[in-house]
Amino acid sequence: MEWLSAENVVAVGTAVLGIVASGVMVWYERRVPRRKRIGYRVQMDNPIGDDVRSGRANRRLGLFDEVPGMSDATLVLLRIENDGSQSIADNDYTGRELHGLTAVFTDRTIRGVSVTQPVGTDHLMDHFTPAAGLGYDGNTLRIPRVPLNRGDHFKLLVLLSGGDVGCGIRLIGGIRDGEVHPNRSATPDETLPLFSRASRLITIMLTVCVVTLATIVVARDDNPPPIGCARGTLTVTGSTAFAPVVEEVAKKYERDCAGAKVVVDPHGSTAGVRELEATGLATKKGSPAVVALSDGPKPNDMPQLRENRVAVSVFAIVVNDDIHLKNLSTVDVRRLYRGEIRNWRELGGPNVAVHLVSRDANSGTRQVFQRRVLKRGEIANSSVDCVHKDDPTAPVIRCELDSTDQVLTQVAELPGAIGYSELNLASGAKGLHVLTLDGHTASVDAIEHGTSAYPYREIEYAYTYGRPPADSLASSFLTYLSRGNGQDVIRTHGHIPCWTPDGLKLCAQ
């Protein structure tokens, strides 16, 4: 189940723990403190004598040194407090004796007692009288029935002898509907804890849960799956020039959308759209799971094909590096491809024969070249291997190849060769260089910002047979390609996405 993910389990666990902790605290606040409670703490238990058996000897002066029996004397500060939520009256003490509580100092003898109380509680002192039960005998201190409002406390400073520091100290007594209990000792030199042990435990548990959840969220892939992922198999055919873009986008889509498989099988723009049309006609119902990419618009005799403008592709004319020319005019390019120029020296180049390396008739790159640059078709094919002339009557050697990669490889290896290609692929090839046309550089940035009249460019179309359903793989992939994560891939490969502010203007032309 998709909801049963690690982050969801931790999130739910954290929420449950928070709710339970809150409920426990509410119960604690409502039930436990409602009881009447008297707590006591030993805030000090220090030696006075210099031969106390605890080994922590002091040095004495004055009265402590002069009074007999001070060699093993200790001082204890005992704090007694109302730490419940209700006030305690004198009749809430349940003992039968006159006094209310009894403090027992194990193995020690009481030598004197001093009672202190905080400012504003002078009324408590009226209860500390022998008539009210205050007194001591041996190791036992009797404490009167002192009424304590919520939060009130008093302290007893007790001088003892005859025992070790740290010997047991207990407060004995009963409270109606309540209890007498020891609290954690806090000596005057000790820093009090900011939170109780329960609070610290709950805080640590909640912190661990939150940190775990945050770690899972940070560590997981932050790129959410694209909206409208679809399952199934889709075939993308057509343009070989645009194939590198489609192949990379297909891998990204398959990674983002589980259950989808995109097969990229380019055969050229014209072959791709005709294959799409044939598949659509053979499909009895609906739109087939096929998308055809084309460098330029489809032929007019295919009304069933629906276009999607994806990008503006920029193409380039390339020559072998032995041809040191950097620029050609459009007129010269047309003369070359009409067979009127047979040697590069006629254009100021080296004495090398011209070899025209072209694409086959299915190529969209070739159709764009003929439509945008030549304004007509190329001369007939005259060579199979691009080296030897098979037609002796042909003015120059011209061959046709099946893909952009083949054209670039042949131009780079064959002296005197000239060809054409998608710009990004041509720019990275070795053994050849890109020509400018009429002084206009083949620049994607210049074209995108409207500062170049470079003519060899065209809109890249994606065709479907009719309108595919909105929840189909074809529709989802086209949205991903043209408007989703595919835009970054398009730009990386040297094309201009149509669904950007500048791209919208160019693709509308």
Side-chain angles (χ1 to χ4, degrees):
M1 292 181 288
E2 294 183 358
W3 66 269
L4 199 59
S5 61
E7 57 266 31
N8 287 346
V9 170
V10 175
V12 171
T14 303
V16 170
L17 179 60
I19 293 172
V20 171
S22 299
V24 170
M25 296 308 295
V26 169
W27 174 85
Y28 181 84
E29 289 293 333
R30 285 185 168 272
R31 305 291 297 182
V32 176
R34 291 296 178 185
R35 300 176 62 190
K36 297 177 181 180
R37 291 157 50 104
I38 285 184
Y40 65 96
R41 319 182 198 179
V42 177
Q43 290 190 298
M44 183 179 69
D45 190 355
N46 288 344
I48 295 176
D50 58 3
D51 59 352
V52 177
R53 282 171 287 175
S54 66
R56 296 184 297 166
N58 288 342
R59 291 292 181 262
R60 308 188 308 277
L61 288 176
L63 184 62
F64 286 152
D65 191 37
E66 298 169 358
V67 175
M70 288 293 103
S71 61
D72 59 355
T74 55
L75 272 177
V76 169
L77 181 63
L78 181 65
R79 173 186 170 116
I80 299 174
E81 56 197 349
N82 180 353
D83 58 359
S85 62
Q86 298 184 24
S87 297
I88 296 175
D90 55 0
N91 58 1
D92 286 324
Y93 295 89
T94 59
R96 295 183 178 182
E97 294 84 358
L98 176 64
H99 61 278
L101 301 172
T102 302
V104 178
F105 300 86
T106 304
D107 295 336
R108 288 186 271 189
T109 302
I110 301 173
R111 294 302 183 91
V113 179
S114 174
V115 182
T116 65
Q117 81 288 328
V119 177
T121 58
D122 293 341
H123 59 284
L124 296 180
M125 295 301 292
D126 295 339
H127 299 277
F128 290 98
T129 64
L134 178 63
Y136 62 86
D137 182 18
N139 67 347
T140 302
L141 171 63
R142 296 181 295 276
I143 304 170
R145 299 170 179 261
V146 181
L148 295 172
N149 293 325
R150 180 180 178 182
D152 281 354
H153 74 275
F154 59 88
K155 297 182 181 181
L156 301 172
L157 184 61
V158 185
L159 177 62
L160 303 142
S161 65
D164 292 337
V165 169
C167 288
I169 299 174
R170 294 178 296 127
L171 191 66
I172 302 171
I175 300 295
R176 183 180 294 108
D177 298 326
E179 64 177 352
V180 176
H181 67 100
N183 284 332
R184 180 180 181 276
S185 298
T187 64
D189 295 331
E190 182 181 1
T191 302
L192 293 175
L194 184 60
F195 300 105
S196 67
R197 181 177 300 177
S199 298
R200 292 198 301 272
L201 179 60
I202 293 173
T203 301
I204 291 172
M205 293 176 64
L206 290 175
T207 301
V208 169
C209 291
V210 171
V211 170
T212 303
L213 179 61
T215 302
I216 293 174
V217 172
V218 171
R220 70 179 181 181
D221 186 3
D222 289 332
N223 295 322
I227 298 175
C229 278
R231 298 174 178 269
T233 301
L234 174 70
T235 299
V236 181
T237 185
S239 170
T240 59
F242 205 68
V245 175
V246 181
E247 289 170 352
E248 185 172 342
V249 174
K251 292 179 181 178
K252 285 181 173 288
Y253 186 87
E254 290 176 347
R255 186 167 59 248
D256 289 342
C257 296
K261 182 175 180 58
V262 181
V263 179
V264 181
D265 186 24
H267 297 297
S269 297
T270 301
V273 294
R274 293 201 179 281
E275 178 184 340
L276 172 63
E277 182 189 40
T279 305
L281 291 173
T283 302
K284 299 296 184 180
K285 184 179 180 181
S287 176
V290 179
V291 172
L293 275 297
S294 175
D295 306 330
K298 63 178 177 60
N300 294 327
D301 61 346
M302 301 179 181
Q304 301 93 342
L305 302 191
R306 178 181 175 81
E307 73 176 34
N308 299 268
R309 301 190 179 199
V310 176
V312 174
S313 294
V314 182
F315 301 87
I317 298 175
V318 295
V319 294
N320 184 279
D321 275 343
D322 290 339
I323 309 302
H324 302 298
L325 300 176
K326 301 299 182 183
N327 176 73
L328 287 178
S329 68
T330 304
V331 173
D332 290 337
V333 174
R334 292 170 181 170
R335 291 177 62 204
L336 281 165
Y337 279 87
R338 288 198 300 264
E340 297 175 2
I341 299 176
R342 303 183 182 187
N343 193 293
W344 285 104
R345 65 185 175 185
E346 299 176 44
L347 296 175
N351 184 17
V352 179
V354 172
H355 292 255
L356 303 179
V357 182
S358 298
R359 287 291 308 281
D360 60 279
N362 289 322
S363 168
T365 305
R366 171 179 168 175
Q367 293 171 16
V368 175
F369 180 61
Q370 295 176 164
R371 184 168 57 251
R372 295 281 188 175
V373 181
L374 299 184
K375 303 297 184 182
R376 53 161 290 169
E378 300 180 44
I379 61 175
N381 185 23
S382 61
S383 175
V384 174
D385 60 5
C386 300
V387 178
H388 303 93
K389 186 185 294 185
D390 299 325
D391 181 5
T393 64
V396 295
I397 293 176
R398 178 182 175 275
C399 62
E400 294 181 357
L401 300 176
D402 294 334
S403 71
T404 299
D405 288 338
Q406 291 177 359
V407 169
L408 294 174
T409 299
Q410 189 65 63
V411 171
E413 294 177 352
L414 182 61
I418 181 173
Y420 42 79
S421 162
E422 185 269 325
L423 175 60
N424 193 59
L425 295 176
S427 300
K430 296 181 179 180
L432 54 81
H433 59 273
V434 175
L435 296 176
T436 60
L437 281 177
D438 299 321
H440 298 297
T441 303
S443 169
V444 173
D445 290 339
I447 292 173
E448 184 173 14
H449 296 101
T451 59
S452 174
Y454 183 77
Y456 194 9
R457 53 179 170 167
E458 186 56 275
I459 297 172
E460 193 72 30
Y461 292 86
Y463 287 101
T464 57
Y465 191 87
R467 184 191 296 272
D471 59 350
S472 67
L473 180 54
S475 178
S476 174
F477 180 77
L478 285 176
T479 301
Y480 187 90
L481 171 66
S482 59
R483 307 184 195 182
N485 294 347
Q487 284 192 353
D488 294 334
V489 180
I490 290 173
R491 188 172 293 281
T492 300
H493 283 266
H495 304 273
I496 305 169
C498 281
W499 290 89
T500 62
D502 293 326
L504 285 170
K505 298 177 184 177
L506 292 171
C507 292
Q509 296 175 2

